[in-house]
Amino acid sequence: MKTAKLTDSEYLVKAGKIIRARQMTKIEKLFEISLPGGESLDHEPGQFVMVSIPGVGEAPLSISSSPTKRGSFEIVVRNVGKVTNALHKFDTGDTVGIRGPFGKGFPVQILEGNDLLFVAGGLGIVPLRSLINFVIDNRRDFGKVNILLGCKTPQDMLFGEEVDSWSKRLDVNFDITVDRCEDPDYNGNIGLITKLIPGVTLDPERTFAAVIGPPIMYKFVIIELLKKNIPERQILVSLERHMKCGIGKCGHCQIQNYYCCKDGPVFTYDQIKDKKEAL
Ligand SMILES: Cc1cc2nc3c(=O)[nH]c(=O)nc-3n(C[C@H](O)[C@H](O)[C@H](O)COP(=O)(O)OP(=O)(O)OC[C@H]3O[C@@H](n4cnc5c(N)ncnc54)[C@H](O)[C@@H]3O)c2cc1C
Ligand code: FES
């Protein structure tokens, strides 16, 4: 895969046209965006863009689509505050500002030829979906693929149809759990995502784990992955920090000697394990 490049300038805001908008849940909305001239973003899975609205502000948002999707890209926005609330009012045909792609994503070339274990909790599926679909689109370049997903209730599962298609593939081991469910007809797993890890059969020496989820999830998932003897340098996590510039200039996202926006958001566990505030 081509290494992602910073097109033109890190400061250049491009006009991103919303070509599709879909309310996914009460608080999450998907936007498909195209750049002028149908230019592709050329991102690495795990990278993010800075999305801006004039007069409101700018927010870092993960690129959810795979780089194999050309001509447009997708983001999913959870409505939590000023910028995200304003974005939720946007629809097909509207224009937002786009800077990026930024940050270090997943090291795709290093992952090639190895087995993969994806662990996504809640909104973590949004960035991880970019890598999952990249791997599925280049399936022969990777070894065994395990996908573990967790969310609060079955209704909170994003990308339901796509997730369903992953679960039906014969070349993917798939499991999913929900924190709670009141539907008496539901016969799936109930419990935390950590409970799914002991049941996965894997060869630790050739397995890379990619983990994204709410902050509370990381500590417990990593304990389970270490119990499986996956080396610390093969555990990849994506961190979220408050960001302003997105390009290593302002210091808002600093974790000791790292800038999350530039040195991350994807880090190996051995890079950050001694930095108390990281997880
Ligand atoms: C690399 C990266 C990727 C991200 N990807 C996504 C994504 O794909 N989809 C998505 O919905 N969100 C994502 N986020 C989070 C998103 O950037 C924030 O929710 C957004 O910036 C909030 O802006 P706002 O103006 O709407 O909220 P504000 O009005 O600024 O704040 C609303 C509340 O959210 C808190 N908050 C703001 N930013 C963050 C943050 N980064 N972490 C924790 N709390 C925060 C504030 O303290 C406040 O309590 C990502 C963040 C990072 C750093
Ligand atoms: S957001 Fe400015 S240094 Fe990272």
Side-chain angles (χ1 to χ4, degrees):
M1 199 191 103
K2 195 164 54 159
T3 309
K5 61 182 188 300
L6 291 178
T7 45
D8 303 320
S9 154
E10 297 167 331
Y11 298 99
L12 183 72
V13 179
K14 293 187 179 171
K17 183 154 189 194
I18 298 172
I19 56 171
R20 186 168 61 100
R22 180 165 68 88
Q23 197 70 43
M24 305 181 91
T25 66
K26 272 186 197 156
I27 54 164
E28 276 117 12
K29 192 165 177 176
L30 176 138
F31 297 98
E32 183 174 351
I33 297 172
S34 72
L35 295 175
E39 179 195 337
S40 284
L41 203 52
D42 275 348
H43 64 288
E44 294 167 355
Q47 285 192 300
F48 64 94
V49 281
M50 297 297 289
V51 180
S52 58
I53 302 176
V56 181
E58 196 177 33
L61 293 161
S62 305
I63 304 153
S64 185
S65 46
S66 160
T68 46
K69 179 178 165 63
R70 313 295 293 170
S72 65
F73 64 96
E74 292 163 346
I75 56 170
V76 174
V77 184
R78 177 174 282 178
N79 186 351
V80 296
K82 202 164 51 107
V83 175
T84 50
N85 185 265
L87 267 173
H88 266 241
K89 297 188 177 104
F90 277 45
D91 217 328
T92 307
D94 290 334
T95 299
V96 291
I98 301 289
R99 285 196 297 131
F102 292 137
K104 280 208 173 71
F106 291 98
V108 173
Q109 281 101 340
I110 294 174
L111 302 185
E112 275 176 12
N114 287 291
D115 295 344
L116 302 174
L117 170 59
F118 296 105
V119 184
L123 205 58
I125 192 176
V126 169
L128 213 50
R129 173 177 173 254
S130 178
L131 181 61
I132 292 175
N133 281 332
F134 177 83
V135 168
I136 284 177
D137 290 342
N138 296 280
R139 187 63 191 86
R140 276 187 290 178
D141 296 342
F142 298 89
K144 268 175 66 178
V145 173
N146 293 282
I147 301 176
L148 304 181
L149 303 180
C151 58
K152 283 195 182 128
T153 71
Q155 291 72 37
D156 294 312
M157 191 72 243
L158 301 175
F159 303 105
E161 280 178 23
E162 208 168 302
V163 166
D164 218 33
S165 74
W166 299 340
S167 75
K168 290 185 178 130
R169 289 183 69 101
L170 297 177
D171 56 2
V172 164
N173 298 316
F174 178 93
D175 215 348
I176 186 166
T177 184
V178 298
D179 293 350
R180 57 179 189 280
C181 181
E182 273 143 34
D183 177 358
D185 294 331
Y186 175 80
N187 58 8
N189 296 311
I190 295 188
L192 298 177
I193 197 162
T194 39
K195 285 195 180 163
L196 301 180
I197 298 172
V200 178
T201 308
L202 55 81
D203 173 355
E205 287 308 313
R206 54 168 297 170
T207 298
F208 279 78
V211 184
I212 314 187
I216 182 81
M217 193 190 92
Y218 286 99
K219 189 176 153 199
F220 298 103
V221 164
I222 287 167
I223 289 173
E224 292 302 323
L225 297 176
L226 294 175
K227 277 192 209 161
K228 287 277 192 189
N229 296 318
I230 299 182
E232 291 173 350
R233 66 179 182 285
Q234 290 173 208
I235 298 175
L236 304 160
V237 298
S238 181
L239 303 183
E240 248 191 49
R241 283 295 180 278
H242 283 270
M243 290 182 184
K244 288 286 178 206
C245 69
I247 52 173
K249 306 283 186 206
C250 72
H252 269 83
C253 66
Q254 196 165 359
I255 306 169
Q256 294 183 25
N257 55 324
Y258 291 132
Y259 287 134
C260 187
C261 65
K262 206 170 159 213
D263 303 309
V266 176
F267 294 92
T268 62
Y269 177 57
D270 72 335
Q271 274 183 298
I272 48 116
K273 67 175 181 183
D274 297 327
K275 306 192 186 317
K276 269 192 183 157
E277 72 274 31
L279 293 179

